[in-house]
């Protein structure tokens, strides 16, 4: 959409944020057209490529920013053996359009290069309308936006899982999805203005639970954390903390199991009988078949002092901590 030295072209930003593991001092040390990268930025291209582009006249200063000028013949030369696919992508928007889209939804987002929703929509139109789309590096959330937009347009039931580890995961990635779902009043697109509809769950990772950490006592999770982890991992069902009864060691139920956890986040207590599955507890439970609709009791504990014959009589399945957290889910699979 622009005019460069040699005619119609598009300008591409050749800087990126110089942060964390991606920071490269060598990409901040040389000049292009007499300019270093802006503060906090680094070049996306190496010095050899930069000099070739300078010689060819295909880098320009645009509003004080060094940008690469890409002409139609450059795209055609890049087609190679992928001409049909490249031609299709060539018409799927530009990063400048993607940035403009994001700026319409969020102010001061800080992203310089953003994939346009038109690109993601073109790709996703070629998969079934009930697909589950995984984006492991979600960035500004374009994938979620594109999935929601496509569902709005054709009535599809596509779902998305987005993963982002940077600190903007909630304020940008998820916030973009929230706003396009509810509607952006200033948007030019009518669908976006009225809201694309849909929903999603925003979740964060808790602390790692490891066998070595538990066995050494150096990383003992809280009772509530381990209860959630055991329940979901063993049954594959959502954990409801409101149903937890720590005093009676009860952590939840499924259609098949009543689940219990004998545990305290204290090494001395774990080594004592206080967290062991003993006959005193077992004999207080109903025996197999004595109550209509009775469920199997799935019990997590560091140790048991009850034989298997007795456990079977009382319809109890024992899972030893920390090794057998996965046992029931593996059996079900």
């Amino acid at each position: 959409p622009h005019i460069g030295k040699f005619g119609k072209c598009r300008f591409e930003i050749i800087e990126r944020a110089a942060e964390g593991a991606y920071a490269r001092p060598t990409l901040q040390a040389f000049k292009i057209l007499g300019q270093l990268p802006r503060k906090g930025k680094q070049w996306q291209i190496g010095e050899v490529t930069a000099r070739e582009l300078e010689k060819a006249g295909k880098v320009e200063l645009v509003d004080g920013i060094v940008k690469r000028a890409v002409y139609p013949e450059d795209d055609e030369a890049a087609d190679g053996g992928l001409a049909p696919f490249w031609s299709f992508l060539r018409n799927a928007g530009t990063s400048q359009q993607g940035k403009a889209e994001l700026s319409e939804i969020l102010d001061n987002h800080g992203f310089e290069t953003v994939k346009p929703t038109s690109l993601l929509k073109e790709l996703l139109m070629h998969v079934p309308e009930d697909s589950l789309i995984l984006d492991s590096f979600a960035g500004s959330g374009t994938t979620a936006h594109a999935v929601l937009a496509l569902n709005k347009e054709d009535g599809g039931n596509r779902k998305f899982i987005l993963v982002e580890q940077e600190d903007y995961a909630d304020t940008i990635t998820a916030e973009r999805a929230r706003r396009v779902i509810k509607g952006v009043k200033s948007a030019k697109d009518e669908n976006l203005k009225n809201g694309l509809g849909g929903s999603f769950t925003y979740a964060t990772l808790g602390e790692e639970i490891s066998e070595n950490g538990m066995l050494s006592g150096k990383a003992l999770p809280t009772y509530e954390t381990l209860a959630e982890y055991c329940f979901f991992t063993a049954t594959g069902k959502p954990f409801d903390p409101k149903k937890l009864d720590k005093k009676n060691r009860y952590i939840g139920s499924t259609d098949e199991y009543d689940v219990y956890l004998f545990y305290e986040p204290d090494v001395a207590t774990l080594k004592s009988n206080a967290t062991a599955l003993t006959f005193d507890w077992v004999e207080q439970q109903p025996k197999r078949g004595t109550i209509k609709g009775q469920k199997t009791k799935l019990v997590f504990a560091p140790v048991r002092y009850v034989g298997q014959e007795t456990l079977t009589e009382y319809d109890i399945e024992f899972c030893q901590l920390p090794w057998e957290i996965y046992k029931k889910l593996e059996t079900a699979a």
Side-chain angles (χ1 to χ4, degrees):
H2 304 290
I3 301 296
K5 293 179 180 178
F6 308 116
K8 289 185 176 182
C9 70
R10 70 174 188 272
F11 289 122
E12 294 185 346
I13 293 174
I14 54 175
E15 292 176 322
R16 62 162 297 157
E19 297 177 344
Y22 295 102
R24 296 289 185 274
T26 55
L27 295 177
Q28 303 169 43
F30 63 91
K31 296 181 179 180
I32 302 178
L33 297 181
Q35 290 199 179
L36 289 170
R38 288 174 293 167
K39 186 177 180 180
K41 306 284 186 180
Q42 64 188 28
W43 301 121
Q44 289 182 310
I45 59 176
E47 187 168 9
V48 172
T49 301
R51 300 295 167 250
E52 291 174 350
L53 292 174
E54 282 181 325
K55 185 177 180 180
K58 292 187 177 180
V59 281
E60 298 189 28
L61 280 176
V62 182
D63 297 327
I65 301 173
V66 178
K67 295 187 178 182
R68 180 176 185 168
V70 182
Y71 296 90
E73 61 268 24
D74 298 323
D75 280 338
E76 291 167 6
D79 280 355
L82 300 175
F85 185 65
W86 183 254
S87 298
F88 136 67
L89 287 181
R90 218 171 38 190
N91 299 318
T94 67
S95 60
Q96 286 90 342
Q97 291 170 340
K99 182 180 178 181
E101 285 179 336
L102 183 59
S103 297
E104 190 176 44
I105 301 165
L106 293 167
D107 296 326
N108 303 317
H109 51 75
F111 279 78
E112 293 288 353
T113 54
V114 184
K115 295 177 183 67
T117 54
S118 54
L119 170 62
L120 272 298
K121 286 166 66 177
E122 285 285 350
L123 293 170
L124 299 179
M125 284 174 65
H126 300 277
V127 301
E129 293 181 2
D130 61 349
S131 294
L132 176 61
I133 315 300
L134 171 65
D135 186 346
S136 298
F137 299 90
S140 69
T142 307
T143 297
H145 186 164
V147 168
L148 293 164
L150 269 181
N151 286 345
K152 178 75 172 181
E153 292 171 13
D154 62 17
N157 189 36
R158 303 168 188 85
K159 296 180 175 65
F160 58 82
I161 297 175
L162 269 56
V163 182
E164 181 53 65
Q165 67 174 1
E166 299 296 339
D167 57 8
Y168 54 71
D170 190 12
T171 57
I172 294 180
T173 314
E175 185 61 22
R176 179 180 186 176
R178 294 186 190 105
R179 294 191 184 188
V180 301
I181 286 172
K182 294 179 180 178
V184 180
K185 300 307 178 186
S186 60
K188 298 174 184 177
D189 179 81
E190 283 299 315
N191 281 339
L192 181 56
K193 180 182 292 186
N194 297 325
L196 302 178
S199 63
F200 71 98
T201 298
Y202 178 78
T204 58
L205 293 179
E207 294 298 319
E208 178 187 11
I209 297 177
S210 68
E211 288 184 5
N212 288 338
M214 291 183 66
L215 290 171
S216 66
K218 294 179 180 178
L220 291 173
T222 65
Y223 186 92
E224 291 75 12
T225 299
L226 187 59
E228 180 177 8
Y229 184 71
C230 288
F231 187 85
F232 178 76
T233 307
T235 68
K237 303 297 181 182
F239 173 74
D240 185 354
K242 295 179 181 178
K243 295 182 178 179
L244 188 147
D245 182 356
K246 185 176 177 181
K247 181 179 179 180
N248 293 308
R249 279 77 178 276
Y250 172 80
I251 63 174
S253 295
T254 66
D255 292 341
E256 188 177 358
Y257 296 105
D258 288 326
V259 188
Y260 298 84
L261 173 64
F262 288 60
Y263 170 79
E264 290 294 338
D266 176 75
V267 174
T269 305
L270 291 173
K271 289 181 178 180
S272 71
N273 291 341
T275 54
L277 175 58
T278 64
F279 186 71
D280 288 342
W281 186 87
V282 170
E283 68 175 350
Q284 297 177 37
Q285 312 305 314
K287 291 185 177 181
R288 181 191 293 270
T290 56
I291 298 177
K292 185 177 181 180
Q294 181 178 333
K295 300 176 183 178
T296 299
K297 290 169 283 296
L298 183 61
V299 178
F300 291 92
V303 67
R304 64 179 170 97
Y305 298 139
V306 185
Q308 185 57 53
E309 184 176 344
T310 301
L311 293 180
T312 301
E313 182 182 358
Y314 283 86
D315 200 11
I316 295 172
E317 291 193 22
F318 171 72
C319 290
Q320 187 175 16
L321 293 175
W323 300 281
E324 294 187 333
I325 292 173
Y326 300 92
K327 185 168 77 171
K328 294 312 303 175
L329 191 60
E330 289 175 349
T331 302

